[in-house]
Amino acid sequence: KAYNWRLKAYASDISPEGFTLHADTWGGSILYKADVSYIAIATDGQDSLRVGTFGTEDIRPASSWVNSNQGTAKFEKPFATEKKPRVVAGLSAFEVGCGRGFRVKTWVEGGKESLNWRLESAGDSHLYMVKADYVAWDPDVTTLAGAMGPIVSGISSL
C-alpha cells in the first residue's frame, strides 16, 4: 500500500536537565529513518527573543493538498524596536503525497508584532500539511548565544 509521507518531530519531558526528542508518523506511514536537528533555548527573561510555530493548519485543513500557503504568526509580545527581527525557521511536521516529488520552500519575514510566512511546493508535489517552528530575535543582538546566556544546542540523529 502507498501512504503519504508523514513526520512530526517534537520534544517532551522538558526540564533543565534534558528532554526526550521524538520523530513520529501516523496514518499507516512507515518511518525507516529520520534525522532531526534541534535548538533548546531557555526563554525565561529573554525580552529580545520570540519562539513559536506556524503552518498550513493555521489557514486550512490538511484534508486536501495546496502547494502555495501563506499566513501570519503573531508574537506573544511585540518587539521594543521598530527594526525587523531576524528569524530562522525549520520544519517540524509534514504530510506530503507519496510517490511524488518532495519539495517544501519556507519563507519568513518578521515585523514588530508578527511574522509573515509562506510554505510552498512545486512540480508534482502535493502538500497536505506543513508545520514550522521559529526563533525570532532583536536585530541589534549580534549573537544568540551572547544574548541568551545559557543555551543548549546540538544535532541528533534518530
Side-chain angles (χ1 to χ4, degrees), residues 9 15 21 35 40 43 50 54 62 65 70-71 73 91 106 109 114 117 119 126 144 153:
S15 73
L21 188 61
D35 293 331
T43 58
R50 307 291 181 272
F54 60 86
W65 62 272
Q70 61 184 6
L91 300 183
T106 305
E109 181 179 43
S114 62
W117 58 264
L119 295 164
H126 286 181
L144 282 179
S153 65

Side-chain angles (χ1 to χ4, degrees), residues 79-99:
F79 280 99
T81 180
E82 293 296 325
K83 295 179 183 176
K84 290 182 180 182
R86 295 179 181 176
V87 183
V88 293
L91 300 183
S92 56
F94 60 79
E95 180 176 0
V96 178
C98 176

Side-chain angles (χ1 to χ4, degrees), residues 28-85:
S29 294
I30 299 171
L31 179 64
Y32 292 102
K33 181 181 185 297
D35 293 331
V36 178
S37 301
Y38 66 88
I39 301 174
I41 302 171
T43 58
D44 295 343
Q46 299 301 326
D47 197 42
S48 62
L49 185 69
R50 307 291 181 272
V51 296
T53 64
F54 60 86
T56 56
E57 291 181 307
D58 296 343
I59 60 169
R60 65 173 179 82
S63 56
S64 62
W65 62 272
V66 176
N67 282 349
S68 182
N69 305 272
Q70 61 184 6
T72 301
K74 188 171 178 154
F75 300 135
E76 285 186 24
K77 180 181 175 185
F79 280 99
T81 180
E82 293 296 325
K83 295 179 183 176
K84 290 182 180 182

